[in-house]
Amino acid sequence: DGPKLLDLLESIQVDDQADKKAFRFPIQLVSRQPASPEFPDFRGYMGRVASGSVRVGDRVIVLPSGARTTVTGIVTQDGPLEEAFSRQSVTLTLADDLDISRGDLIAAETNPPQARTEFKATLCWMSDRPLHLNHRYVLRQTTKSVRAIINEIDYRLDVNTLERESPVSELKSNDIGQVRIKTLQPVVCDPYNVNRQTGGFIILDENNDTVAAGMIQE
């Protein structure tokens, strides 16, 4: 009784509420500029605001180290800002000289994500080669890549009936299932239903081919 599906998809306005979520800023690059009268010892942290917003003077936490500090500046190619929002690429400067590198994450002090080395995830397997339990893969989430193994499959979803099949020893191409993952280093994340930017990830094999996409669960 409604409009044609294609017309609806082309005209619908989607608001993912990203600006209203907690502040998340994965570090893409640490910027060190040559000394100048304006910036005698400049150190900035470059990246894209994944969600939320940040203002100069905000208290933040750096994860996974847990160090706390204050944002002293928001630098862009067009000049400094007082506030940055989700989807903006900016450089943040902080009040303290901290050990921060690519893959770390700056977050709101009052509502930080968790640093986890074990979690459940919904996984969509995309490779022609099946998933092998306890095989070494690379998990890439935001700007961080870590070694990971998938040590258990809770169930496989029958996409026709939505029934959960178990026990299951492998996932094949286009299979969807719930798995348990262990990582060699902490992954700073939110559940996917809370924040899809920090809750989503991909899995790569030893050939650097993407073999799966996943969503971290509670």
Side-chain angles (χ1 to χ4, degrees):
D1 295 332
K4 294 182 176 65
L5 177 60
L6 186 59
D7 293 340
L8 178 63
L9 292 176
E10 290 177 340
S11 61
I12 194 169
Q13 297 296 316
V14 177
D15 181 9
D16 62 4
Q17 303 287 310
D19 289 343
K20 300 177 179 64
K21 296 182 184 293
F23 173 60
R24 303 287 186 262
F25 186 77
I27 304 298
Q28 181 77 27
L29 186 68
V30 179
S31 173
R32 296 296 302 268
Q33 295 183 4
S36 66
E38 186 178 3
F39 300 109
D41 186 23
F42 181 87
R43 176 181 291 184
Y45 305 97
M46 306 174 71
R48 188 183 190 206
V49 181
S51 64
S53 62
V54 62
R55 294 183 63 87
V56 174
D58 281 356
R59 291 287 296 173
V60 293
I61 184 171
V62 180
L63 295 167
S65 69
R68 298 171 188 267
T69 186
T70 302
V71 176
T72 58
I74 303 172
V75 182
T76 72
Q77 187 174 4
D78 299 324
L81 301 175
E82 283 297 314
E83 187 172 11
F85 298 90
S86 63
R87 304 182 188 87
Q88 283 186 288
S89 295
V90 298
T91 300
L92 299 184
T93 59
L94 305 176
D96 301 287
D97 188 4
L98 303 175
D99 183 13
I100 302 175
S101 58
R102 174 183 168 88
D104 290 350
L105 185 139
I106 301 175
E109 186 181 48
T110 56
N111 188 15
Q114 291 184 322
R116 305 167 65 179
T117 57
E118 298 184 27
F119 50 85
K120 290 183 181 180
T122 299
L123 203 65
C124 177
W125 197 255
M126 300 185 293
S127 173
D128 292 334
R129 292 186 293 175
L131 160 65
H132 295 296
L133 292 179
N134 298 312
H135 183 78
R136 291 184 179 181
Y137 294 102
V138 173
L139 184 147
R140 184 171 296 165
Q141 176 255 2
T142 62
T143 58
K144 191 175 186 70
S145 295
V146 297
R147 292 285 182 182
I149 61 170
I150 302 164
N151 59 353
E152 190 173 344
I153 303 173
D154 292 334
Y155 62 81
R156 179 174 56 216
L157 189 68
D158 186 319
V159 295
N160 296 308
T161 65
L162 299 184
E163 292 182 355
R164 299 179 176 183
E165 304 171 347
S166 64
V168 180
S169 60
E170 66 178 14
L171 294 179
K172 298 181 179 180
S173 180
N174 296 324
D175 281 347
I176 298 174
Q178 178 178 287
V179 301
R180 297 173 187 254
I181 297 177
K182 288 186 177 182
T183 60
L184 187 62
Q185 297 172 306
V187 173
V188 180
C189 60
D190 297 285
Y192 187 85
N193 63 355
V194 173
N195 191 320
R196 65 179 183 175
Q197 300 298 326
T198 53
F201 63 89
I202 60 173
I203 298 286
L204 298 92
D205 63 11
E206 65 275 7
N207 299 318
N208 208 36
D209 294 328
T210 302
V211 296
M215 297 173 287
I216 297 171
Q217 297 183 2
E218 296 281 3

